Amino acid sequence: MKMPNNEKENRGKINGHVIFFLVFAILLIIMVIRLAIWNRGQRTDYDPNENTTEFDVELLDYVQPLDPAVLKGREDDGVTTILALGNDPLADDRTENGLAALIEKESGAVIYNCAFPGSTIAMKNAEYNSNYPLDGLSLYWSAAALCNQNFDLMEAVVRDLNSESANEALKTIKSVDLTKVDALVIMYDLQDYMGRRIVYDENNHRNLNTVYGALNATIQLFQEEYPYIRIYMLSPTYGTFTEGDGTTYDCDRDDLGNGTLVDYINWELEACRSNGITFIDNYYGAVSMDHPDCLTDGFHLNQEGRQRVADRFMDVFAPSD
């Protein structure tokens, strides 16, 4: 029997419903396989109990090498000599356990520790006044006395302080030969913040009553007179302090009129950046609010605190990598 032509044509065609169900079945199988893989997951090295607090903040370090051009013609005497200016972190302990001695031991350098206890970066008064003699030991006036080799004001101030540490600093600073100095280390704690010193004067970038201005003027003084000295600014560490009325202030959250200590640190960093010197962050990188066991009286460094700051400095001064 002969099949009709239209029936032959229908048998040669693929049914559209069959194609639809085949495609649907394939997609369904793919979805089931992917869901099974997703549910099973993938092995990672994530540890939910791992302490990751060290990654919560970004260090504010600004590392600026010295321009090799400024060293041309300078003869290397084979000895690394460091001059240290600052206050209590360096002045509290001048023994072999002190911060300067720890850096000296780890670096192999010779260090002149010229830090005066209780001094600050910025001056309190617009002009020196004997009613507040510590202004004569502030950062810029210490640097100027050294560069000009005129210690008359320092001698008068230190004589009235009755401080063994200040006497030792004066004796040391008078013995420094700046032509032999390779590096200058500057470190002050939170006493500018405690003293409500002004942070910045937009109309005068060398205003010695401001932290930025005094630091700016000091850096430029050394860069003009002794350009071959590499300068390192070490930031304050975290701290708290209690005033006479019993009020305790936390430098991380309390604004005493010119910002928190972080604002002071940021202007120190800005002065370093604008003058091309190295800034080392101790506030987040050495002794932070997570290290109260490194402090005494709220902000003075104990032995562990000094070691952490020394190690932080060495990470930049002589990196192991």
Side-chain angles (χ1 to χ4, degrees):
M1 181 178 177
K2 194 173 181 179
M3 186 178 294
N5 289 335
N6 59 346
E7 190 173 340
K8 287 181 179 181
E9 291 175 0
N10 288 338
R11 282 194 174 186
K13 291 182 179 179
I14 299 176
N15 193 305
H17 290 89
V18 174
I19 294 175
F20 172 78
F21 283 114
L22 283 173
V23 172
F24 178 78
I26 292 170
L27 291 175
L28 183 62
I29 291 171
I30 292 173
M31 290 175 62
V32 170
I33 292 173
R34 287 189 173 182
L35 183 61
I37 294 174
W38 182 81
N39 281 332
R40 186 174 60 186
Q42 198 172 18
R43 183 177 179 81
T44 70
D45 294 325
Y46 171 69
D47 179 2
N49 299 315
E50 181 183 4
N51 183 357
T52 60
T53 55
E54 63 180 298
F55 303 111
D56 290 344
V57 295
E58 182 177 351
L59 295 182
L60 301 176
D61 289 355
Y62 176 76
V63 180
Q64 184 65 41
L66 198 64
D67 184 352
V70 302
L71 296 175
K72 287 184 178 179
R74 177 170 165 78
E75 185 176 348
D76 185 358
D77 61 5
V79 178
T80 300
T81 302
I82 299 176
L83 165 66
L85 297 177
N87 60 7
D88 299 25
L90 290 156
D92 278 346
D93 190 337
R94 295 181 180 276
T95 71
E96 61 183 13
N97 298 315
L99 176 57
L102 292 173
I103 293 175
E104 188 172 57
K105 179 181 178 181
E106 294 185 24
S107 66
V110 173
I111 295 188
Y112 289 89
N113 183 0
C114 305
F116 289 97
S119 62
T120 54
I121 297 174
M123 294 178 63
K124 180 179 181 179
N125 300 309
E127 295 182 357
Y128 177 77
N129 188 319
S130 59
N131 291 328
Y132 189 77
L134 280 175
D135 270 352
L137 304 177
S138 61
L139 175 60
Y140 180 78
W141 287 114
S142 294
L146 182 57
C147 290
N148 296 325
Q149 289 293 292
N150 184 339
F151 304 100
D152 293 347
L153 178 58
M154 272 189 172
E155 289 173 342
V157 172
V158 170
R159 186 167 51 243
D160 295 334
L161 289 181
N162 192 28
S163 165
E164 183 178 346
S165 180
N167 285 328
E168 188 63 31
L170 176 61
K171 178 182 177 182
T172 303
I173 200 170
K174 291 170 69 175
S175 70
V176 174
D177 180 355
L178 285 172
T179 64
K180 303 293 185 182
V181 173
D182 300 293
L184 167 63
V185 170
I186 302 172
M187 184 177 182
Y188 288 80
D189 57 19
L190 52 71
Q191 292 187 64
D192 281 273
Y193 163 78
M194 289 171 56
R196 279 77 167 174
R197 299 292 189 270
I198 303 168
V199 184
Y200 176 72
D201 178 359
E202 63 179 4
N203 297 314
N204 183 1
H205 291 177
R206 292 172 63 94
N207 184 344
L208 301 184
N209 293 114
T210 70
V211 171
Y212 178 87
L215 183 55
N216 196 39
T218 301
I219 294 169
Q220 292 175 7
L221 176 63
F222 276 103
Q223 288 180 331
E224 291 165 4
E225 299 291 332
Y226 304 95
Y228 50 79
I229 295 178
R230 184 176 179 185
I231 306 175
Y232 298 81
M233 179 73 197
L234 279 60
S235 87
T237 66
Y238 169 79
T240 63
F241 72 97
T242 303
E243 293 202 318
D245 61 1
T247 304
T248 298
Y249 294 97
D250 185 322
C251 70
D252 190 66
R253 67 167 187 264
D254 293 323
D255 182 343
L256 306 183
N258 296 289
T260 66
L261 185 59
V262 175
D263 294 295
Y264 284 75
I265 291 172
N266 281 329
W267 280 111
E268 290 179 11
L269 172 58
E270 181 58 30
C272 293
R273 283 177 173 165
S274 62
N275 289 288
I277 72 161
T278 294
F279 179 87
I280 300 176
D281 176 12
N282 289 311
Y283 189 84
Y284 296 116
V287 180
S288 69
M289 65 177 63
D290 296 326
H291 306 98
D293 54 337
C294 293
L295 302 166
T296 62
D297 298 332
F299 67 93
H300 287 94
L301 297 173
N302 61 18
Q303 190 59 38
E304 182 180 355
R306 288 190 286 270
Q307 186 64 63
R308 291 182 68 89
V309 171
D311 291 343
R312 188 85 252 282
F313 173 72
M314 289 304 300
D315 286 344
V316 176
F317 185 74
S320 55
D321 292 340

